[in-house]
Amino acid sequence: EISLSMERSQILNEKIVTQQEKIKETEIEINKADEDLVNHKEIYSERLKSIQVKGNQSVVTYAELLLSAGSISEFFNRFTAISKIIENDNELLEGLRVKEVTLKEAKEQLQNHFNQLEKSKVELASEQKQIEENKKQISQELEAAKVDLENLRILQEEQLAAQQEASQETETTPEAQQQSQAQVSVNK
């Protein structure tokens, strides 16, 4: 029973080490995601400042830029360029959202790893307590067995001594009988 508990304890120790490694990996991921998010926010912040400085002028500027085109092909070239700018702004915003979600998920994963680690530590403590209780019980049983063995040894020694005494009496009794018969014969 102790060896089984020791095996479970060893497995739990290995599980704890694995969970601690996962926590370190997740913390590294969180730090990287956090840095990426900060960098991305700075870029987006700069773009927003640029838009804010120009205010509604950017929309008017885009419209003026399109309307001032000298030809249809220039109009489409300008339209394509403006569409690309707007698309880049949207991609920048979407990238920011993705990084925020990634960071949130990494933090949730880290919390899950911490919860698993705590659960494993509680299980390990329980197993170690069980091992100590089993050791105590086995120690008590061993002491009881030693006492029983000592009592049995003493009993056997007493029985052996009694048998030897009885055996000596039996041996001396026939001799005594023979002597008393011999004396009876001599007296006759």
Side-chain angles (χ1 to χ4, degrees):
E1 193 172 326
I2 286 182
S3 64
L4 182 61
S5 292
M6 301 268 294
E7 280 181 43
R8 286 192 301 242
S9 179
Q10 180 63 30
I11 290 169
L12 285 171
N13 274 328
E14 291 169 3
K15 192 175 179 182
I16 287 172
V17 168
T18 302
Q19 288 168 343
Q20 288 172 333
E21 289 170 1
K22 285 180 183 178
I23 286 172
K24 287 177 186 175
E25 291 171 8
T26 304
E27 286 175 336
I28 290 170
E29 287 176 23
I30 286 174
N31 289 337
K32 184 181 180 318
D34 207 19
E35 287 175 20
D36 287 347
L37 184 62
V38 167
N39 291 337
H40 207 103
K41 281 182 177 180
E42 287 175 10
I43 292 169
Y44 196 71
S45 176
E46 289 300 317
R47 179 66 182 130
L48 288 176
K49 284 177 188 175
S50 170
I51 292 171
Q52 189 176 16
V53 167
K54 293 179 183 175
N56 288 335
Q57 292 177 353
S58 62
V59 174
V60 173
T61 305
Y62 290 154
E64 286 176 357
L65 191 61
L66 289 173
L67 294 175
S68 67
S71 68
I72 295 265
S73 75
E74 189 179 349
F75 176 83
F76 282 117
N77 285 340
R78 290 179 181 183
F79 180 77
T80 303
I82 292 170
S83 295
K84 189 67 175 162
I85 291 170
I86 293 171
E87 184 180 323
N88 285 342
D89 286 346
N90 288 335
E91 287 175 1
L92 193 60
L93 181 60
E94 183 59 28
L96 187 60
R97 285 186 192 135
V98 167
K99 288 186 175 158
E100 285 176 338
V101 167
T102 301
L103 181 60
K104 181 182 175 190
E105 288 172 352
K107 287 180 178 180
E108 287 172 359
Q109 185 180 20
L110 179 63
Q111 187 60 47
N112 288 339
H113 289 312
F114 275 128
N115 293 343
Q116 282 294 325
L117 178 63
E118 287 305 311
K119 181 180 174 187
S120 294
K121 285 181 178 180
V122 168
E123 288 177 25
L124 178 61
S126 173
E127 281 297 322
Q128 289 174 337
K129 183 179 177 185
Q130 185 63 42
I131 288 171
E132 288 304 314
E133 288 174 5
N134 289 347
K135 282 181 180 179
K136 230 185 257 185
Q137 182 181 356
I138 288 173
S139 178
Q140 290 171 349
E141 289 173 0
L142 184 61
E143 285 302 314
K146 283 180 182 178
V147 168
D148 290 346
L149 188 60
E150 181 62 22
N151 289 340
L152 184 61
R153 185 189 62 78
I154 291 171
L155 182 63
Q156 285 178 342
E157 285 178 0
E158 289 172 354
Q159 287 176 346
L160 182 62
Q163 284 177 349
Q164 287 175 349
E165 189 178 308
S167 173
Q168 285 177 352
E169 285 180 11
T170 307
E171 288 176 5
T172 56
T173 304
E175 289 175 8
Q177 286 176 355
Q178 286 176 355
Q179 284 179 356
S180 62
Q181 284 179 355
Q183 282 181 353
V184 171
S185 303
V186 170
N187 287 340
K188 287 187 188 178

